[in-house]
Amino acid sequence: MADRSKVIFGNQMSAKDYKKALEKKKSYLRQFGDDSKAAYSAKLVENATLYEPLGVYDIRVNEGDGEIPFDTEKGIIVGNIRMGFGHYRISIAMASAAKALGYTPYWMDLNSYKDTTCTKVIGKQNDLYSFGSRLSQKLALFNKLVWEPMNYEGFRQLSYNAADQKNAELMAPVFHSIPKDIPLIGTHVWPAQAALHAGMEHVVNAIPDNWPMALHLAEGATHTIQTHQSYMGYRILNGFKKKEVLNPMPAEDLVYTGHYIDHELVANIEKDCDARLERKKNGEPMRFLMSIGGAGAQRELFAAVIKYLLPAVKAKKAALYVNVGDYKAVWDELCRDIPELAELSTTHFNDWADTNTFAQDAIVGNVEGIHAFWHENIFEAVYCTNLLMRSADVLLTKPSELAFYPIPKLFLKRIGGHEKWGAIHSAEMGDGSLECEDVPHTLQMIKLFLEEEATLKYMCDRIKANKTAGLYDGAYEVVKLAMAKKSK
């Protein structure tokens, strides 16, 4: 295999950048050890949360042999990491689409094999990213001088990809006992890169963002994108080496698919949008879904929104779903900030059956007041938002992976410069607001949703039109592409 840290899509890296990539890999080897010769086992286990609805099996590494054989005909691996909630959510969409198309989804989280160098490397980077994300919300100067530039231009450079490729070599050993001809969809670039270094034969790299960055390159895989806007940026590797004109990515390596969305959400778009408009027409409480991501940031912004909405909740003009994910401390802090919150709220805490029942009943039933959700299980914490989405009227979220979902959206201030392009795309497609960069503009949008019908109707009409155009079929298309690679 060619050294993908030296030459990336025909573009030679400088000796300085290559040396830095080598030094980074050596640093991790010193910290976490070299397990490149390890013969790690792999077995399949039913995923406790996702097996029943989506047929998902976990791939467990270094836990001995299992009794369930890999299905080399219908099996498809969704390779991911937990870094925030975004990559898990995209993985759920891929698993949902795979099941709907008749395939068996295997869940492979490279951040879950605690005794391996792979997971130790990812865990350290995940901790740093989460810390930086939260710090950026508290320190404006850090956000301006460090976090925004890193997320916007730092990750955009080929030198960053060169370092990642070396790091991915340390992740390859976890694939030792996995059949190499099973297609793999990477919903983060590291699983895609690691799979290629491990000799996996059919790899699709599902790029999550709408801002082209070298961070997301996994040469040797087929790259998929959710938006036409980002196509040319990836095709010509625009700005990936400052102002230098680069050799382009081959056309066959880049495919537009549309948004990566769960089958259950896509299949019910018309029904759910019609229900939103009917509730609005009947004067029922408008349901706002607040989803706090895996980094646990933006608590202060959510507190401001909740305080503003409390009078409307009491007057039965609004209802709130608040999903704090697996961050119970965030809920506790919100209750300290807003003394009324606890007494006005019905909590659905760490009871997955209760959450499922509420989510299903809310699709056709009445909802009032505030409903809070917390689950310590990561799958439940993430999937909770997906379940609540169908019965919600408006989703309040930063413009991350949720920017692409088929529900009317109010975009909160971004965390990282790359995220702003998610809001821009959604506004262009008509299914979301502009990014509200401060509290007053956020409250302005909430007022529009509450006091008039036009904004909600506009977004619902656009969502239905977008479905007709195939905008939300991306997960299906990625799965089809991965299986087609195998058939060839």
Side-chain angles (χ1 to χ4, degrees):
M1 180 189 294
D3 191 327
R4 291 183 175 133
S5 293
K6 273 190 174 179
V7 181
I8 303 172
F9 288 114
N11 297 287
Q12 184 76 38
M13 301 305 298
S14 69
K16 179 182 178 182
D17 286 334
Y18 182 67
K19 182 180 179 183
K20 285 177 67 175
L22 287 174
E23 289 174 348
K24 190 66 174 177
K25 177 183 176 181
K26 290 176 183 176
S27 172
Y28 283 133
L29 283 171
R30 287 192 298 270
Q31 292 179 67
F32 305 124
D34 183 356
D35 63 356
S36 59
K37 304 299 183 184
Y40 288 127
S41 62
K43 68 177 182 180
L44 298 174
V45 177
E46 293 178 0
N47 183 287
T49 302
L50 301 178
Y51 178 75
E52 183 177 345
L54 305 179
V56 174
Y57 291 90
D58 289 339
I59 297 178
R60 302 282 179 81
V61 168
N62 199 31
E63 295 184 15
D65 298 323
E67 298 178 356
I68 304 170
F70 281 92
D71 185 344
T72 56
E73 294 300 317
K74 292 288 189 178
I76 184 167
I77 297 171
V78 182
N80 56 63
I81 63 170
R82 181 191 171 177
M83 181 170 280
F85 285 177
H87 304 287
Y88 257 36
R89 197 180 313 282
I90 295 170
S91 294
I92 290 172
M94 298 301 178
S96 173
K99 181 177 185 291
L101 293 171
Y103 300 113
T104 303
Y106 300 139
W107 189 279
M108 189 173 187
D109 177 2
L110 271 62
N111 199 16
S112 66
Y113 310 134
K114 61 181 181 179
D115 296 325
T116 68
T117 299
C118 168
T119 293
K120 292 172 185 175
V121 169
I122 292 173
K124 178 164 185 176
Q125 294 182 82
N126 189 16
D127 290 344
L128 288 170
Y129 189 86
S130 295
F131 175 74
S133 181
R134 291 191 296 272
L135 196 62
S136 71
Q137 299 303 293
K138 297 177 180 178
L139 301 176
L141 196 60
F142 173 81
N143 186 60
K144 179 180 179 181
L145 298 180
V146 178
W147 197 246
E148 284 263 345
M150 171 63 75
N151 278 272
Y152 202 61
E153 288 295 339
F155 292 160
R156 192 182 182 193
Q157 301 307 305
L158 280 184
S159 56
Y160 194 93
N161 184 255
D164 264 5
Q165 285 283 6
K166 279 298 166 194
N167 292 341
E169 293 174 7
L170 301 175
M171 305 173 192
V174 298
F175 288 89
H176 178 271
S177 297
I178 294 171
K180 300 300 182 285
D181 62 341
I182 295 181
L184 179 141
I185 299 168
T187 60
H188 185 283
V189 71
W190 294 341
Q193 292 170 347
L196 291 164
H197 285 294
M200 298 296 288
E201 298 170 8
H202 316 294
V203 179
V204 174
N205 176 33
I207 295 173
D209 289 325
N210 191 30
W211 171 242
M213 296 188 289
L215 161 69
H216 294 305
L217 298 179
E219 187 172 2
T222 300
H223 298 67
T224 64
I225 51 173
Q226 300 186 84
T227 73
H228 291 296
Q229 184 275 335
S230 63
Y231 179 87
M232 201 53 67
Y234 278 108
R235 186 72 214 285
I236 67 172
L237 307 180
N238 186 48
F240 286 16
K241 212 173 182 183
K242 303 297 183 181
K243 295 186 178 181
E244 185 174 333
V245 177
L246 301 174
N247 293 316
M249 181 190 295
E252 61 270 19
D253 287 359
L254 186 63
V255 179
Y256 166 81
T257 60
H259 299 184
Y260 312 139
I261 307 298
D262 314 50
H263 165 71
E264 296 75 21
L265 294 172
V266 177
N268 289 288
I269 280 176
E270 292 89 352
K271 184 189 300 183
D272 294 342
C273 281
D274 289 345
R276 290 173 185 125
L277 295 176
E278 188 68 16
R279 286 192 292 270
K280 186 68 174 175
K281 179 181 177 182
N282 293 337
E284 296 179 38
M286 176 163 268
R287 304 169 182 184
F288 292 90
L289 167 56
M290 302 180 183
S291 180
I292 297 180
Q298 295 187 303
R299 178 182 61 80
E300 294 84 357
L301 179 53
F302 277 88
V305 170
I306 293 170
K307 288 176 183 177
Y308 178 80
L309 278 171
L310 281 182
V313 171
K314 293 174 183 177
K316 297 185 179 181
K317 294 181 179 179
L320 290 181
Y321 303 160
V322 183
N323 180 21
V324 295
D326 56 355
Y327 284 86
K328 177 62 161 52
V330 171
W331 178 252
D332 294 337
E333 290 165 358
L334 285 171
C335 289
R336 283 195 293 270
D337 291 345
I338 310 169
E340 291 180 280
L341 183 57
E343 63 187 65
L344 292 173
S345 299
T346 301
T347 56
H348 307 264
F349 285 176
N350 232 21
D351 187 338
W352 190 235
D354 173 57
T355 294
N356 270 280
T357 298
F358 175 85
Q360 290 304 312
D361 290 348
I363 293 172
V364 295
N366 296 321
V367 176
E368 295 178 356
I370 299 173
H371 294 266
F373 302 85
W374 162 73
H375 300 87
E376 60 184 343
N377 178 291
I378 177 61
F379 293 97
E380 296 172 4
V382 176
Y383 199 42
C384 175
T385 293
N386 296 43
L387 293 179
L388 295 171
M389 221 179 282
R390 285 200 56 200
S391 70
D393 295 322
V394 181
L395 171 66
L396 277 71
T397 178
K398 66 189 182 74
S400 56
E401 86 290 346
L402 284 169
F404 300 92
Y405 276 71
I407 177 174
K409 293 173 290 289
L410 191 168
F411 288 117
L412 308 175
K413 182 174 173 57
R414 64 186 178 269
I415 301 177
H418 62 293
E419 289 185 345
K420 76 176 184 179
W421 291 92
I424 290 171
H425 171 72
S426 179
E428 288 177 338
M429 295 298 100
D431 62 6
S433 73
L434 298 171
E435 179 186 353
C436 300
E437 296 195 22
D438 54 31
V439 171
H441 284 91
T442 303
L443 302 184
Q444 178 193 38
M445 279 304 306
I446 290 175
K447 187 176 181 181
L448 276 182
F449 279 117
L450 279 174
E451 295 184 358
E452 64 170 45
E453 184 181 351
T455 303
L456 183 71
K457 185 177 187 307
Y458 175 78
M459 291 186 185
C460 285
D461 288 347
R462 290 311 311 157
I463 289 167
K464 289 191 281 187
N466 290 340
K467 181 188 176 180
T468 301
L471 183 69
Y472 306 117
D473 290 346
Y476 304 121
E477 296 304 317
V478 172
V479 171
K480 291 175 185 176
L481 181 62
M483 299 308 295
K485 286 171 72 73
K486 179 180 174 66
S487 66
K488 290 180 182 178

